[in-house]
Amino acid sequence: MAWASWGCCPWLVLLSVCAWGHAKPVDLRRENVRNCSTNPHYLPVTVVNTTVQLTDLRQQMQTQNLSAYIIPNTDAHMSEYIGEHDKRLTWMTGFTGSSGTAVVTMGKAGLWTDSRYWTQAEQEMDCNWELHKEVGSTPIVNWLLNEIPAGGRVGFDPLLFSIGTWKSYDTALQGSDRELVSITTNLVDLVWGSKRPPVPSQPIYVLQEAFTGSTWQEKVSNIRSQMQKHRKAPTAVLLSMLDETAWLFNLRSSDIPYNPFFYSYTLLTDSSIRLFVNKSRFNSETLQYLNSSCTGPMCVQLEDYSQVYDSVQAYASGAVRIWIGTSNTMYAFYNVIPQDKIIAETYSPVMVTKAVKNSKEQTLLKASHVQDAVALICYLVWLEKNVPKGTVDEFSGAQLLDTFRGKEKFSSGPSFQTISASGLNAALAHYSPSKEVHRKLTSDEMYLVDSGGQYWGGTTDITRTVHWGTPSAFQKEAYTRVLIGNIDLSRLIFPAGTSGPMLEAFARKALWEVGLNYGHGTGHGIGNFLCVHEWPVGFHSSGLTMGKGMFTSIEPGYYQDGEFGIRLEDVALVVEAKTKYPGTYLAFEVVSLVPYDRNLIDVRLLSPEQLQYLNRYYQTIREKVGPELEKRQLLEELKWLQQHTEPLSARAPRTTFLASLLAASTLAILGWSV
């Protein structure tokens, strides 16, 4: 799935405003949005009245002597997706988009969000709210400086501000005679009261040993070994992100949409293991699994989730040094630990360790992608038969794909909301249909489907773009150039330590050659039944450099605003490359196993090397997925697979890969670091 600017993942967003093609019962066209300046009495039926909650919030602000209060759209763990219990911004504003920041003063209220959500915000917010079409702390601070008087106090919840977010606001307000104030009791929660959805209480379960790469005891010993070897000798590691604790203990649940996590923190010290969680969610077998009845260094002491702040503060009062990852720790903990006792690095040791999969984890992830290929192939075969009938739309298609995945063994639902986009909707990189708003799939338009599944052995993410009719020459060229970018990056051999921006230049080169590009990142990490976007792997400048055992997506695209969109995404494993001469070189092994659309490939644009790679890839698909289809007696799908993986033949080779390599290297030289 293409990355946007969520949480700690600094990717550019494709900035487009949607022109929707499906009307009724909810029509997102411009005439069906609010117009507070000229007609404040008319509001769309989708608008939420927020007068009561704003009045109540301002009363709470008065008790704290606040001039303004900031409400980010996140939870205390910087989760990509947040549960109903944490949707404070939605409850306050009525806005249901996934990205935004609200600010309330005693006289005004504003929402800041990016262009993906402007029309949606105008439809969902009443006239109590101003919509600001900007993002980041700077425009918010500039607005605050105009709206609140000198001496004003700006409140925030320290459990909802990352260290970086706090620093950006604090720095911008310095010298302004306005104060940024940490309020440990969330004021929205006080106002929400009994109407707030309850905290999830589903059981927390142990992931079977067959689906884990190491025992939790081995993982704890590994992290402690890293602590002992660290030059600053930390006595503890604080884990704040939910996937860190889930990975460490091989535990899973369902508190967060699309992610098998549970609300928790971990304080791992050199002599104890403290897991902060709702203890009532464990059965007796899980308690025994965690050795929770003892107090030794390999016994997990269970403490209440709500006590983590006080417990960390108490631990920090001793002669200790606490190792934190600054990219994924909230300001509340950064503030409560004395600065001379913090060992701050960009990523925690757990984040870095789980990014590299061991041999068993690699095998599990590969097997999950075979299962996923079967589900997606079944869907594509079904579409070929039913789209011409005019009975399929984006939403029903997405639901059916979820059904196909749900039939797979060890499936645990989708890994994100399926992007099922036809025609012009596919030009919006992060569009997803709904029951109310969707377009019909037709043989006259391109169709993009970006989807993934959660399986006990691994998480998947794959994108294919197809056309069942006659594509235009430009559509075929754009598609083929995106495919070339995918191929050139997938078949690349590169020195260990090469920077991400230099690598991703190979995915963009074929588009750059003719003046085309795309506005999202080229890849992201992926977990073993964890996050579909597993930080910090990827091709971005702030992530880790690629290393053996990491998995990343490779997903170039092209988006013609108002017409169509193309993305081809595969997941690949980083492996050691075999080179003629000695050296430490790496390569990618693609593990996604679904053929591309032959109808959209202009073979004349492919070099002999690219064509050879593509045909080898198709042979791999036949060898790995074909037997699975045959074993299940999916004979129609097997025939489809064989037809769509027939070797492609060259017509007029365009260039050699050597020329491509040299050109891409020149374009990307600014990113070289080994």
Side-chain angles (χ1 to χ4, degrees), residues 367-615:
S368 296
H369 281 82
V370 173
Q371 288 183 268
D372 203 64
V374 170
L376 184 53
I377 287 169
C378 288
Y379 178 60
L380 293 173
V381 171
W382 185 90
L383 287 178
E384 279 194 9
K385 294 186 296 183
N386 289 277
V387 167
K389 300 176 184 177
T391 58
V392 187
D393 61 57
E394 296 167 327
F395 184 69
S396 66
Q399 287 186 308
L400 181 63
L401 180 52
D402 287 347
T403 300
F404 279 126
R405 280 201 171 94
K407 293 178 180 178
E408 291 298 311
K409 198 173 182 180
F410 309 122
S411 171
S412 188
S415 56
F416 58 94
Q417 185 177 4
T418 296
I419 297 172
S420 172
S422 180
L424 57 85
N425 283 345
L428 303 168
H430 300 92
Y431 164 83
S432 290
S434 66
K435 185 177 181 180
E436 296 81 14
V437 182
H438 51 257
R439 303 181 82 245
K440 280 286 181 69
L441 273 58
T442 77
S443 299
D444 300 323
E445 293 184 328
M446 300 179 82
Y447 173 63
L448 184 155
V449 57
D450 183 347
S451 63
Q454 291 284 12
Y455 305 91
W456 292 359
T459 305
T460 68
D461 185 3
I462 185 170
T463 308
R464 290 295 181 262
T465 306
V466 297
H467 197 304
W468 298 286
T470 305
S472 68
F474 177 56
Q475 287 175 331
K476 289 189 70 169
E477 179 184 3
Y479 182 97
T480 306
R481 290 184 179 278
V482 170
L483 176 61
I484 289 171
N486 183 299
I487 290 172
D488 283 353
L489 184 51
S490 297
R491 64 186 295 268
L492 185 66
I493 294 175
F494 56 95
T498 304
S499 68
M502 182 174 187
L503 292 175
E504 81 147 15
F506 287 87
R508 298 180 185 269
K509 176 192 170 293
L511 291 166
W512 287 349
E513 284 179 339
V514 293
L516 304 178
N517 203 355
Y518 54 93
H520 56 70
T522 297
H524 57 80
I526 197 159
N528 280 86
F529 192 25
L530 291 166
C531 289
V532 71
H533 291 147
E534 186 169 80
W535 193 255
V537 176
F539 298 103
H540 40 89
S541 58
S542 58
L544 300 175
T545 57
M546 291 294 173
K548 178 184 175 183
M550 293 180 179
F551 281 81
T552 181
S553 68
I554 294 175
E555 49 183 303
Y558 174 70
Y559 308 90
Q560 185 70 18
D561 191 24
E563 295 185 28
F564 64 88
I566 300 163
R567 186 159 61 253
L568 298 175
E569 175 184 18
D570 295 306
V571 171
L573 168 65
V574 182
V575 298
E576 287 184 2
K578 297 178 181 179
T579 55
K580 181 177 180 180
Y581 301 105
T584 306
Y585 285 78
L586 300 172
F588 295 111
E589 176 190 339
V590 174
V591 300
S592 300
L593 298 167
V594 177
Y596 309 111
D597 187 5
R598 302 169 76 89
N599 190 33
L600 282 164
I601 300 174
D602 185 346
V603 181
R604 296 170 299 178
L605 295 176
L606 299 177
S607 72
E609 294 85 358
Q610 292 159 350
L611 189 60
Q612 182 183 49
Y613 170 88
L614 185 57
N615 286 332

Side-chain angles (χ1 to χ4, degrees), residues 60-344:
Q60 293 293 336
M61 290 166 58
Q62 283 183 320
T63 65
Q64 299 285 343
N65 191 27
L66 297 178
S67 303
Y69 190 67
I70 302 174
I71 308 166
N73 196 25
T74 188
D75 64 11
H77 305 275
M78 294 179 64
S79 302
E80 177 181 4
Y81 302 102
I82 59 176
E84 296 298 321
H85 179 76
D86 288 309
K87 291 184 177 179
R88 299 175 178 88
L89 183 140
T90 294
W91 186 76
M92 282 300 307
T93 67
F95 172 64
T96 61
S98 64
S99 176
T101 300
V103 181
V104 178
T105 68
M106 298 308 295
K108 289 186 178 181
L111 174 80
W112 283 256
T113 190
D114 67 66
S115 63
R116 292 174 294 162
Y117 300 112
W118 292 345
T119 301
Q120 180 179 344
E122 294 281 20
Q123 279 208 316
E124 295 178 334
M125 296 193 306
D126 64 12
C127 291
N128 286 311
W129 292 88
E130 299 175 353
L131 174 62
H132 297 267
K133 299 179 178 181
E134 300 172 288
V135 293
S137 59
T138 299
I140 294 176
V141 169
N142 290 338
W143 183 82
L144 283 169
L145 294 179
N146 288 324
E147 295 298 330
I148 64 175
R153 288 160 41 95
V154 180
F156 72 98
D157 182 343
L159 280 172
L160 300 182
F161 265 44
S162 68
I163 297 171
T165 300
W166 168 77
K167 285 182 177 179
S168 66
Y169 279 98
D170 188 63
T171 300
L173 286 170
Q174 283 180 4
S176 69
D177 197 19
R178 280 86 168 172
E179 182 184 4
L180 189 64
V181 182
S182 172
I183 307 295
T184 55
T185 300
N186 190 282
L187 302 188
V188 174
D189 293 351
L190 293 178
V191 174
W192 208 347
S194 61
K195 296 179 181 178
R196 187 183 182 194
V199 178
S201 58
Q202 304 93 321
I204 298 170
Y205 60 90
V206 178
L207 189 59
Q208 295 176 18
E209 186 177 350
F211 298 100
T212 63
S214 306
T215 66
W216 72 259
Q217 291 92 340
E218 290 170 334
K219 293 178 179 180
V220 165
S221 297
N222 182 340
I223 301 304
R224 280 179 171 157
S225 176
Q226 294 183 49
M227 292 164 58
Q228 293 169 358
K229 296 174 182 177
H230 196 289
R231 60 186 178 84
K232 294 186 178 180
T235 61
V237 174
L238 177 63
L239 305 179
S240 297
M241 293 194 76
L242 300 182
D243 63 330
E244 295 180 297
T245 291
W247 174 87
L248 183 65
F249 296 110
N250 295 327
L251 296 173
R252 301 291 190 272
S253 193
S254 55
D255 294 5
I256 304 296
Y258 308 114
N259 295 157
F261 304 148
F262 52 95
Y263 290 112
S264 56
Y265 295 93
T266 298
L267 184 64
L268 174 62
T269 79
D270 48 14
S271 59
S272 67
I273 309 168
R274 300 165 72 178
L275 173 58
F276 299 88
V277 68
N278 179 353
K279 293 179 284 187
S280 67
R281 299 175 63 182
F282 294 115
N283 62 25
S284 58
E285 290 80 8
T286 306
L287 293 174
Q288 184 177 2
Y289 163 84
L290 292 170
N291 297 335
S292 63
S293 60
C294 57
T295 57
M298 295 304 289
C299 303
V300 180
Q301 302 170 30
L302 300 179
E303 301 187 30
D304 192 77
Y305 176 83
S306 63
Q307 297 302 308
V308 62
Y309 183 86
D310 292 338
S311 294
V312 170
Q313 186 175 35
Y315 179 79
S317 65
V320 299
R321 291 168 299 281
I322 303 175
W323 190 355
I324 65 169
T326 56
S327 69
N328 53 294
T329 300
M330 291 306 195
Y331 174 71
F333 300 107
Y334 183 77
N335 184 48
V336 79
I337 304 171
Q339 292 300 298
D340 61 341
K341 297 181 180 181
I342 291 179
I343 298 176

